[in-house]
Amino acid sequence: MLIAVTARTALAQDERKEAAAVAAKLVDSTTDSLPAAQPHPTSKLGGRYFVDFRSRTAASYGHAFLWYGRLNERGKIGLIEVAGLHPASDSPVPYILGHLFPVPAETGKSYGDLDEQYLTANYRVYLKEADAKRVFAYIKHKQDTSPLWLAGVYNCTAFLADIAGYMGLRTPATATWMYPEDFINSLRDLNGGRQEISLAANH
């Protein structure tokens, strides 16, 4: 019996290690796959700071979130931060209840946010370092001050609309009631697809 318990414990530890490796691989998969030993050409986007507004499929009507960070010297996404407002549980119960009254929320990544196959729309904008630091700080502020999710009042699209508005982007007036994919596409269209964002000096 002791051998069986030990074996099961070891197996569980291996599974946790494999799961962690898979999570890391999901982020790393956004970089190019050339061996590190080979020289890499630089890109005009190398080192640029960015915010990428994104939407993905979900069991219901989808989810809107964003990636933000800095491109590597080859203009590829390396390590990223993920922000998005969603009910604080993997259970469908808080999500259902959140259509009636506020439920506790989380503001980090959720299942599927790192998987490109679930992506339905995205709109990426680039910022200079000084502006990026201010925007990234605001994103963190929104994460720290958004404890509740309520479907028809303050949800994932409303959360992103606040961040986009802080950046000086035009946002849909009905962001809260839009499907995530429609919100991202409308955000891009309202701003003419522009990719360079510069905050005002007195922002």
Side-chain angles (χ1 to χ4, degrees):
M1 290 177 63
L2 180 59
I3 292 174
V5 170
T6 302
R8 283 196 298 271
T9 301
L11 180 60
Q13 291 175 343
D14 289 342
E15 289 175 344
R16 284 195 295 272
K17 290 179 180 178
E18 290 176 3
V22 169
K25 185 176 180 181
L26 287 174
V27 176
D28 291 341
S29 67
T30 59
T31 64
D32 59 66
S33 58
L34 292 174
Q38 295 184 8
H40 298 287
T42 58
S43 166
K44 63 180 181 179
L45 294 176
R48 297 296 306 276
Y49 293 87
F50 71 94
V51 174
D52 196 350
F53 297 89
R54 303 169 72 85
S55 64
R56 64 167 174 79
T57 58
S60 57
Y61 37 72
H63 178 53
F65 58 101
L66 56 82
W67 287 3
Y68 65 100
R70 188 180 186 185
L71 301 178
N72 62 26
E73 64 180 10
R74 297 176 299 281
K76 302 295 184 180
I77 294 178
L79 296 178
I80 58 169
E81 296 283 349
V82 181
L85 186 72
H86 53 90
S89 174
D90 291 330
S91 167
V93 175
Y95 171 79
I96 295 171
L97 295 177
H99 286 72
L100 303 174
F101 51 80
V103 296
E106 291 179 347
T107 56
K109 72 175 185 290
S110 59
Y111 180 80
D113 289 354
L114 298 177
D115 297 300
E116 291 287 353
Q117 64 265 35
Y118 300 139
L119 185 69
T120 55
N122 80 296
Y123 173 42
R124 184 184 301 177
V125 294
Y126 297 99
L127 309 96
K128 295 180 180 178
E129 182 177 3
D131 288 342
K133 288 181 178 179
R134 294 160 70 185
V135 171
F136 293 176
Y138 182 75
I139 293 172
K140 293 291 188 183
H141 168 72
K142 290 299 296 181
Q143 289 182 293
D144 292 340
T145 57
S146 303
L148 300 173
W149 184 90
L150 179 57
V153 177
Y154 199 69
N155 53 26
C156 60
T157 52
F159 180 80
L160 263 60
D162 281 350
I163 295 171
Y166 177 85
M167 295 170 63
L169 294 169
R170 298 179 62 190
T171 61
T174 57
T176 302
W177 301 285
M178 297 181 73
Y179 286 113
E181 181 179 358
D182 293 339
F183 168 76
I184 300 299
N185 288 329
S186 293
L187 182 66
R188 182 181 59 248
D189 293 343
L190 281 172
N191 292 280
R194 67 174 173 139
Q195 296 183 309
E196 296 289 337
I197 298 297
S198 181
L199 301 187
N202 61 347
H203 193 279

